[in-house]
Amino acid sequence: MFYALYLLPNIFFLSDMPNICINIIILFLIIGQSCKVTKHEEDSVVMVKHEEKKKEIYIRKKTEIYIQKNLPELEQILIESGLVKIRDYDSSIQMDLKYACENNFLKMNLYGDLKEGYLQEPVAKQLVKAQRFLKDTFPQYSLVVFDAVRPLSIQQMMWDSIKVSVDQRSHFLSNPSFGSLHNFGAAVDVSIVDADGKELDMGTAYDSFEPLAYPALENSFVNKGLLTKQQLENRMLLRRVMRKSLFKEIPTEWWHFNACSNKEARVYYSLIRNHTLKRKTRTHLDRDGKVNICFKVQIKVSMSQIELNSPEFKGLQVTSYKHKGLYKYVIGDCKDIASVYDLLDRVNKLGFSDAFIVAFNNNSRIEVRDAIELMP
């Protein structure tokens, strides 16, 4: 560019008039070429600045993590896994992490010094919306978080620590082989507290294993006088604000809400496998199998086969399957918990007092709790 301006007087004074036009054209070609070089240089500068900015952000993030090294190891792992602290998005949400103390059904502190709940960022934002919906109607109330992300290794610890036989554990916990949306940071256990921090009465304690905790059976328990209308209204309030922010409840725990399906979580989020840096966790969660859940009522078990039209089945439409070396006889093909409980009540009234609910995925027997976790 500067070279072209330097030539300008020479072009006019040293050239004949007929050649002026040609010289002017040459001049503009030189200027144009100079501008192209300058534009290229500007693009290069912008690119360098962009790379420097990316590097600066990367260094800042690593520095932030380094500064936070005084945090509990579990919290460091959650941060480095990309999860976010719920109260960084809304400090009014209360925390009462039940597995960070001994006030839980295992009577064990599984989270150590962790005091804050962590979730995937979109899930944390959903929870903030639920808090706002709650406070819009009841400013004196607040959500309280009992559990948020739960590394799969801790799920395994819970599985190994519960003092019941292996074949009974799935009545109380999700099998680590199937996992839970908690393991992705895509589920949260919550309730509501008033201005004094007192929990609203929901009819049962958190992590209760009794059917009274089942949302699917609430109307039946209200009719029987086992659940009060106020307790039901409190549960309905919790569900309303969570549903408005697109959480979904499950049929067996009034406190548990999923942000998405198990299938969606595996697509969009990373599984939080470990709560320590050294621990390795084996899991079958990476299997991409199709899910087809149904619930049945098992009415009889026998070492030898029984004719399906036998009078001892009292005219019920019975099917059988073999499991653990025994012949087992079931009725029904229900897709939800409420329906299968209604069926169980009818079967009990026919005299099958030992009948109980069983679950299947693609015709393979699995535990009821695992079936609920796997449902879309």
Side-chain angles (χ1 to χ4, degrees):
M1 180 70 175
F2 290 110
Y3 177 68
L5 292 174
Y6 170 76
L7 288 177
L8 185 59
N10 294 320
I11 289 172
F12 283 100
F13 288 105
L14 298 179
S15 303
D16 295 329
M17 286 299 294
N19 297 322
I20 287 177
C21 292
I22 296 173
N23 290 327
I24 288 174
I25 291 171
I26 294 171
L27 172 64
F28 279 108
L29 287 172
I30 295 170
I31 292 172
Q33 190 63 33
S34 300
C35 290
K36 285 182 180 178
V37 172
T38 304
K39 180 70 168 62
H40 176 72
E41 290 172 349
E42 287 176 355
D43 288 343
S44 297
V45 170
V46 170
M47 188 175 295
V48 169
K49 287 184 177 179
H50 177 67
E51 291 300 321
E52 288 178 348
K53 186 69 174 176
K54 283 171 62 179
K55 186 175 181 181
E56 176 189 333
I57 292 170
Y58 174 78
I59 292 172
R60 186 169 70 247
K61 285 185 176 179
K62 297 301 281 187
T63 303
E64 288 172 356
I65 291 171
Y66 177 78
I67 291 171
Q68 292 168 331
K69 288 298 183 183
N70 61 328
L71 293 174
E73 183 180 22
L74 172 55
E75 197 158 2
Q76 293 176 42
I77 290 170
L78 299 179
I79 293 170
E80 292 184 29
S81 298
L83 276 73
V84 299
K85 187 192 301 183
I86 296 168
R87 280 156 53 88
D88 279 349
Y89 289 76
D90 189 334
S91 59
S92 69
I93 297 175
Q94 303 298 302
M95 288 291 143
D96 183 15
L97 299 183
K98 296 300 187 182
Y99 300 114
C101 62
E102 295 181 0
N103 184 23
N104 55 64
F105 74 99
L106 290 171
K107 307 300 179 186
M108 294 173 60
N109 181 343
L110 297 168
Y111 290 167
D113 296 328
L114 183 70
K115 301 302 178 189
E116 297 289 343
Y118 281 78
L119 292 169
Q120 299 287 350
E121 184 177 27
V123 183
K125 289 179 177 179
Q126 278 181 248
L127 191 64
V128 168
K129 287 181 181 179
Q131 173 81 335
R132 289 174 185 166
F133 290 140
L134 176 62
K135 286 190 168 293
D136 283 347
T137 310
F138 298 96
Q140 74 277 23
Y141 287 169
S142 172
L143 294 176
V144 57
V145 175
F146 295 142
D147 198 20
V149 67
R150 181 192 305 158
L152 188 63
S153 54
I154 287 182
Q155 188 84 18
Q156 186 69 55
M157 287 175 61
M158 296 169 77
W159 183 261
D160 294 339
S161 299
I162 189 168
K163 293 180 173 58
V164 296
S165 62
V166 173
D167 61 339
Q168 293 293 312
R169 289 179 189 176
S170 287
H171 296 302
F172 306 96
L173 286 168
S174 298
N175 190 323
S177 294
F178 295 102
S180 164
L181 283 173
H182 278 296
N183 307 144
F184 292 88
V188 63
D189 294 346
V190 291
S191 188
I192 298 174
V193 294
D194 62 19
D196 297 323
K198 183 180 178 181
E199 293 174 29
L200 299 193
D201 184 0
M202 300 292 182
T204 74
Y206 168 68
D207 252 0
S208 168
F209 299 121
E210 55 185 324
L212 192 59
Y214 292 13
L217 306 178
E218 287 168 346
N219 291 332
S220 172
F221 286 127
V222 169
N223 293 336
K224 294 175 182 177
L226 299 175
L227 194 68
T228 70
K229 289 185 178 180
Q230 184 60 58
Q231 290 166 340
L232 179 59
E233 286 177 11
N234 291 343
R235 291 188 187 186
M236 291 301 296
L237 172 61
L238 178 61
R239 286 205 285 274
R240 268 199 311 275
V241 298
M242 296 299 281
R243 285 172 179 171
K244 284 186 73 173
S245 57
L246 305 182
F247 281 97
K248 293 181 180 179
E249 68 268 23
I250 64 173
T252 55
E253 297 175 349
W254 58 257
W255 55 82
H256 180 106
F257 294 88
N258 292 330
C260 60
S261 70
N262 231 293
K263 184 176 180 180
E264 290 170 326
R266 296 181 197 194
V267 172
Y268 296 112
Y269 302 130
S270 296
L271 177 70
I272 310 303
R273 294 180 180 274
N274 304 313
H275 69 284
T276 64
L277 293 173
K278 296 179 181 178
R279 185 182 177 93
K280 299 294 182 183
T281 304
R282 294 181 180 177
T283 174
H284 303 301
L285 280 178
D286 295 329
R287 293 177 180 173
D288 187 24
K290 292 183 179 180
V291 174
N292 183 19
I293 301 297
C294 71
F295 301 95
K296 301 175 184 287
V297 173
Q298 188 161 304
I299 59 175
K300 193 171 184 63
V301 176
S302 175
M303 295 182 67
S304 57
Q305 277 188 295
I306 303 173
E307 292 294 329
L308 298 182
N309 59 358
S310 169
E312 59 185 297
F313 293 131
K314 301 182 179 180
L316 294 172
Q317 293 185 343
V318 177
T319 58
S320 66
Y321 68 103
K322 197 168 184 180
H323 181 242
K324 296 183 178 179
L326 298 172
Y327 295 96
K328 301 183 178 183
Y329 299 86
V330 295
I331 63 166
D333 187 8
C334 303
K335 297 299 181 183
D336 61 86
I337 286 291
S339 298
V340 77
Y341 265 92
D342 286 342
L343 180 59
L344 179 62
D345 282 342
R346 294 198 298 271
V347 168
N348 286 339
K349 289 174 182 176
L350 288 174
F352 295 98
S353 57
D354 294 330
F356 59 93
I357 294 168
V358 292
F360 296 83
N361 180 30
N362 294 316
N363 296 320
S364 294
R365 170 81 177 267
I366 64 173
E367 297 296 338
V368 171
R369 195 179 187 94
D370 295 327
I372 291 167
E373 286 286 357
L374 289 172
M375 288 175 69

